[in-house]
Amino acid sequence: MKVISYNLRKHRAAVELEELVERHGADVLCVQECDTTDIPERIGGLVLADSTNRNRLGLAVYYRENTYRAVEVRALALKKSLHDYVLKPAEERLLGVRLHDIDDGREVIVASFHAAPLTALNSLRRHQIRTALTELSALGEGLPALMVGDYNYPVFKENLGQKVREQGYELSLSDARTYTRYRFFRGHYDFATSVGFTIEQVRTLPQGLSDHLPILVTARLPGVSAAADAAGSAA
């Protein structure tokens, strides 16, 4: 399974999505900071599972419709920061989708996540991440789950990784930094958190119109060979 996650920077990078999906053969696309009133139903062979509807800057998840079928979708509001109360950019910061694999009958959970901005404390973002992972399990207890997105957590990632592992998940960083707008804040912001998947690679893709760089997560389920997974993506 190939999953692209991209913070569109207030929808500015939306025009890049079709090329990204087609170039990298994505099976799932998770976006943050999109204008949900201005997103297409389909992008490069992917169909929209759902999007948030209570956000000024929303989340959306697309999936490859000849490979998966969406079984259930859940959007969730998480603990708010002061920034959220004042500017109201995002009421719902998690969008999870339970997908049924048409060929092998297995089900997985994929989610788009957007943590509170840097004006909030790391402790609040950890609370949001912890709550998000707990809620994802409610979509299907014991199912493999992959949550990608903008975690807004550039420092003390080792502490975050430990907290995530205590919940039974693994935190995976990409091979290069994913945010470049301000020199002081440059670093890894966009992560993958998973359980039940083997994360083979998290690659930072070239920068486009956003201040975030998209990431490409290559994940494999136990018992599925890399060759079989690649063949499924190409089908």
Side-chain angles (χ1 to χ4, degrees):
M1 173 186 280
K2 292 183 177 180
V3 180
I4 289 177
S5 175
Y6 197 8
N7 181 318
L8 303 181
R9 192 184 177 187
K10 302 178 182 178
H11 204 65
R12 295 181 189 181
V15 295
E16 302 169 1
L17 292 177
E18 185 167 358
E19 182 181 356
L20 272 175
V21 167
E22 293 182 348
R23 177 182 298 178
H24 300 285
D27 301 298
V28 177
L29 171 67
C30 297
V31 295
Q32 305 87 45
E33 289 198 18
C34 67
D35 178 355
T36 56
T37 66
D38 189 33
I39 56 174
E41 184 68 23
R42 286 178 167 77
I43 297 178
L46 308 187
V47 64
L48 179 66
D50 208 348
S51 60
T52 53
N53 55 30
R54 294 158 56 192
N55 293 11
R56 180 166 58 83
L57 301 173
L59 307 172
V61 175
Y62 291 80
Y63 65 93
R64 189 163 296 281
E65 60 181 333
N66 64 0
T67 305
Y68 300 102
R69 175 172 54 86
V71 177
E72 186 177 354
V73 180
R74 180 172 300 182
L76 186 71
L78 302 173
K79 185 176 181 180
K80 293 183 179 181
S81 67
L82 179 62
H83 182 90
D84 291 328
Y85 282 112
V86 174
L87 298 179
K88 303 183 185 300
E91 177 72 18
E92 297 159 311
R93 289 191 172 274
L94 175 71
L95 182 65
V97 182
R98 180 171 174 172
L99 296 174
H100 176 84
D101 190 304
I102 296 171
D103 290 332
D104 68 14
R106 289 197 280 188
E107 294 188 349
V108 298
I109 297 167
V110 181
S112 183
F113 171 73
H114 192 188
L118 294 179
T119 51
L121 297 175
N122 273 350
S123 58
L124 183 138
R125 279 185 286 274
R126 287 197 301 272
H127 185 282
Q128 292 179 330
I129 293 165
R130 182 171 63 251
T131 304
L133 296 178
T134 299
E135 289 296 326
L136 284 184
S137 65
L139 270 174
E141 187 174 354
L143 291 181
L146 174 63
M147 184 173 82
V148 297
D150 178 6
Y151 284 60
N152 272 321
Y153 213 103
V155 295
F156 306 118
K157 291 182 287 293
E158 296 79 5
N159 184 35
L160 175 61
Q162 177 60 36
K163 297 297 183 183
V164 166
R165 285 190 292 274
E166 290 173 1
Q167 284 190 260
Y169 287 76
E170 288 295 328
L171 183 70
S172 302
L173 274 63
S174 57
D175 58 356
R177 65 190 184 188
T178 66
Y179 185 78
T180 61
R181 187 177 182 188
Y182 299 113
R183 178 178 297 180
F184 181 75
F185 294 115
R186 290 176 182 174
H188 288 80
Y189 282 63
D190 305 85
F191 305 154
T193 307
S194 62
V195 63
F197 281 99
T198 297
I199 304 299
E200 297 187 333
Q201 185 182 46
V202 183
R203 184 156 62 96
T204 300
L205 302 178
Q207 185 161 17
L209 296 174
S210 175
D211 48 358
H212 286 257
L213 282 68
I215 61 171
L216 173 63
V217 182
T218 303
R220 181 166 49 85
L221 289 171
V224 178
S225 68
D229 206 19
S233 297

